[in-house]
Amino acid sequence: MVVCYMIDRISRNISDFCNFYAVLQEKNCRFVSVKEQIDDSTAMGRAMLYICQVFANLERDNITERITDNLGYLASEGYWFCGTPPYGYRTKKIIVNGKQHSTIEKDPDTIDFYYMLVNMFLSGKSMCGMQTYFRKNNIKTPKGSFISTSMMHKILSNPIYVANDTTIYDYFKSLGSSIPYSREEFDGTHGITIGGRKRTGKHSKGTTPNQWTIYIGKHEPLISGEKWVAIQKKFKTNLTFKARNYDIGLL
């Protein structure tokens, strides 16, 4: 017998719960939920089990929608909403209309590290070459660890650093991003925030630039649109293609 407090403590996903419960039935194992007081030894009890799971799934979807709407609002207002800021910035609390919000400002302790990455990459070094150089010269991140190529790519491709100038306006327009501003409003005085940007996760696919909305942030930028776009173009020219011996990897 498997005993839980509530059904949604097991899962809030209908398909996951059905697969889980199918395994219990195969093993002749009963399922008991204390809160709902469901007896799965009867047909009616099993039906109520699935009905409760439907409402648990509904609650999960409602929570997801509320969080997504709130993050979209914060992005549209130019606030910081992504937790720990990237290298070169630190969080700062501001009061707007009597409410406290978060934004980011330049961090003197980490900003030099960001500029070092930008200058080395634009000078012609590859990310693998930069990684080797850092290890040979014992250069570590402000957090005290060696930086990986994937982390370099994450930092250098992050649009939070770039200025809201006309170059970046034209760049994201060409990618199909939604920009609820006129081109004249992109004057290069602020950074940008991205609405709808999501990286590929374990259980979800990421979003592409044509699904993003570009907003003007409240923070000061660290790099011009011209330099940032040059970095993104350099990523595309540095791609390597390797022939695979097998369609399916051995490991």
Side-chain angles (χ1 to χ4, degrees):
M1 180 182 292
V2 172
V3 181
C4 70
Y5 174 63
M6 291 180 67
I7 290 179
D8 62 5
R9 298 303 86 199
I10 295 291
S11 176
R12 284 182 174 175
N13 182 281
I14 295 176
S15 61
D16 284 347
F17 179 80
C18 290
N19 293 332
F20 166 75
Y21 189 62
V23 173
L24 296 186
Q25 291 179 311
E26 290 175 4
K27 303 298 182 182
N28 196 28
C29 179
R30 288 191 57 196
F31 178 82
V32 174
S33 175
V34 176
K35 187 75 172 179
E36 287 87 2
Q37 297 182 357
I38 294 175
D39 180 10
D40 73 335
S41 63
T42 65
M44 184 59 69
R46 289 189 292 273
M48 291 301 299
L49 197 63
Y50 290 117
I51 290 173
C52 289
Q53 183 58 38
V54 168
F55 284 104
N57 196 105
L58 175 63
E59 183 181 1
R60 185 194 70 161
D61 292 343
N62 285 335
I63 292 173
T64 301
E65 287 182 1
R66 286 196 295 269
I67 293 175
T68 301
D69 290 344
N70 185 54
L71 293 181
Y73 165 75
L74 293 175
S76 66
E77 293 295 319
Y79 299 121
W80 176 250
F81 57 93
C82 296
T84 304
Y87 289 127
Y89 286 113
R90 61 187 178 188
T91 55
K92 174 185 177 182
K93 298 296 183 181
I94 58 175
I95 304 297
V96 179
N97 296 327
K99 292 184 178 181
Q100 181 174 276
H101 295 281
S102 294
T103 185
I104 50 178
E105 62 179 1
K106 291 182 177 179
D107 182 7
D109 296 329
T110 62
I111 193 172
D112 290 338
F113 184 79
Y114 173 73
Y115 282 133
M116 179 177 62
L117 294 178
V118 170
N119 294 332
M120 288 184 68
F121 191 67
L122 288 178
S123 69
K125 278 188 173 293
S126 66
M127 287 191 294
C128 289
M130 291 166 62
Q131 184 185 42
T132 302
Y133 175 83
F134 291 151
R135 289 185 177 273
K136 283 185 177 181
N137 293 274
N138 198 34
I139 300 175
K140 298 182 178 180
T141 68
K143 293 183 179 180
S145 60
F146 288 111
I147 191 169
S148 63
T149 54
S150 60
M151 181 58 69
M152 290 183 208
H153 183 274
K154 183 178 180 181
I155 294 174
L156 294 174
S157 63
N158 193 343
I160 198 72
Y161 295 103
V162 71
N164 66 325
D165 54 25
T166 53
T167 299
I168 212 66
Y169 182 94
D170 295 338
Y171 175 78
F172 280 113
K173 270 294 185 181
S174 68
L175 296 179
S177 301
S178 174
I179 307 179
Y181 305 93
S182 65
R183 193 171 185 270
E184 290 71 26
E185 292 180 89
F186 271 56
D187 55 8
T189 58
H190 294 86
I192 64 173
T193 58
I194 309 293
R197 183 171 182 250
K198 183 172 64 174
R199 295 184 178 275
T200 302
K202 184 176 181 181
H203 300 291
S204 62
K205 293 183 179 180
T207 54
T208 53
N210 64 324
Q211 298 172 289
W212 297 353
T213 303
I214 311 301
Y215 299 107
I216 297 176
K218 297 186 181 299
H219 60 282
E220 188 177 350
L222 299 188
I223 187 173
S224 68
E226 183 179 359
K227 281 189 175 182
W228 191 85
V229 171
I231 291 174
Q232 311 317 305
K233 291 181 178 179
K234 193 169 186 291
F235 281 142
K236 296 179 180 179
T237 58
N238 283 2
L239 291 177
T240 58
F241 300 92
K242 298 181 180 180
R244 298 180 61 180
N245 294 327
Y246 304 97
D247 292 334
I248 300 177
L250 298 179
L251 299 178

